[in-house]
Amino acid sequence: METGPITLCIDVGGTSIKVLRCEADGQAIDPPLIESTPSPSTPSPVLAQIADAASRVGSFDRAGFGFPAVVRGGICTRAVNLDTGWQGLDLARELGDLLGVPVRAANDADVQGLGCVSGNGLELVLTLGTGIGSAMFLDGTLIPNLELGHLPWCLPGADKTSFEQELGDAALKRIGVNAWLDLVPTALALYQRCLSCDTIYVGGGNARHLASLSLPDNVILIRNDAGLTGGVALWEGIPANRVIPRLT
């Protein structure tokens, strides 16, 4: 039985747009609707596609929107990998006008973190997809818009690039999965050395490649649906006694 308020959870990525209706406890009501991200991914076609998808999934009372940019107060304030038309756009207001419900918007990695962390200790969330997203929580409190993927990749003998340039999807396709898998544990170790995390969660479309690795005990692979269900936590907060959505 559906129990309100129902949240429409929205996740916009470089290749796909996903929408999912969830109950207030984060349980999905229907399977997610997944569509390709328009190209070019400028604001008007992307927002129109979200609205079109929303019109086909049933009724909802509010929306939680994860977007791959720095988002403050629902406004896109920095969009390194996106069309410049997103800069300064009030995502929550624009989408709210289209959907006719209140919308809360945040960085997509922050939303993924809200969908997976336990709320205990220092928890780092990394998303390995088109780029690298990151989010950090201290005892359940979000430290928003953490862009660890843009830190310099400073290994001896390496070119002066960033973590995202070395581990993003373009790099995986360029060097192949095996070479990419050699780099990911190094990146995780560097983050751990600098941040002393209690737990590191790794999600995103390319996290599945890590399933064959022997990872440290504090590294947990998570399912991609956390990037959607975290939209509920934008409204309800992190639930107590959460079951971590592990990738199996």
Side-chain angles (χ1 to χ4, degrees):
M1 178 181 297
E2 296 179 6
T3 58
I6 296 171
T7 305
L8 181 70
C9 301
I10 305 158
D11 180 24
V12 171
T15 59
S16 66
I17 292 173
K18 305 172 186 175
V19 299
L20 174 70
R21 290 192 309 155
C22 289
E23 298 179 8
D25 63 359
Q27 293 298 309
I29 296 171
D30 319 292
L33 177 60
I34 304 173
E35 299 190 340
S36 297
T37 303
S39 181
S41 54
T42 53
S44 291
V46 171
L47 294 175
Q49 187 155 340
I50 293 171
D52 178 68
S55 71
R56 292 183 275 124
V57 297
S59 63
F60 49 89
D61 304 296
R62 61 192 185 184
F65 183 19
F67 189 72
V70 173
V71 180
R72 290 193 173 95
I75 298 172
C76 176
T77 61
R78 183 159 58 91
V80 175
N81 298 321
L82 301 172
D83 183 87
T84 56
W86 292 101
Q87 191 82 17
L89 191 69
D90 191 329
L91 302 172
R93 186 189 67 192
E94 294 286 340
L95 192 56
D97 288 346
L98 287 173
L99 299 181
V101 297
V103 175
R104 291 185 178 177
N107 171 268
D108 58 342
D110 290 350
V111 175
Q112 178 128 2
L114 288 167
C116 73
V117 300
S118 69
N120 298 311
L122 186 63
E123 299 177 282
L124 175 65
V125 181
L126 298 172
T127 60
L128 304 179
T130 303
I132 295 182
S134 57
M136 183 172 284
F137 296 78
L138 179 59
D139 292 330
T141 298
L142 171 66
I143 303 168
N145 296 307
L146 194 67
E147 296 282 353
L148 294 181
H150 298 305
L151 288 175
W153 182 261
C154 297
L155 295 185
D159 293 334
K160 293 182 179 179
T161 61
S162 67
F163 277 72
E164 183 165 283
Q165 288 172 300
E166 295 294 327
L167 299 175
D169 194 58
L172 186 153
K173 292 174 179 175
R174 184 181 70 250
I175 66 177
V177 172
N178 289 336
W180 184 83
L181 286 174
D182 288 339
L183 296 177
V184 174
T186 300
L188 294 175
L190 288 170
Y191 284 138
Q192 177 64 25
R193 187 182 306 165
C194 292
L195 301 172
S196 299
C197 304
D198 292 297
T199 309
I200 299 177
Y201 303 91
V202 183
N206 288 328
R208 67 187 189 279
H209 297 301
L210 306 183
S212 62
L213 298 182
S214 178
L215 297 169
D217 290 342
N218 72 327
V219 175
I220 298 174
L221 302 182
I222 56 171
R223 301 194 308 266
N224 262 349
D225 59 0
L228 282 165
T229 58
V232 177
L234 281 174
W235 293 91
E236 300 289 337
I238 297 169
N241 302 315
R242 162 176 276 158
V243 176
I244 304 300
R246 294 174 181 263
L247 181 65
T248 56

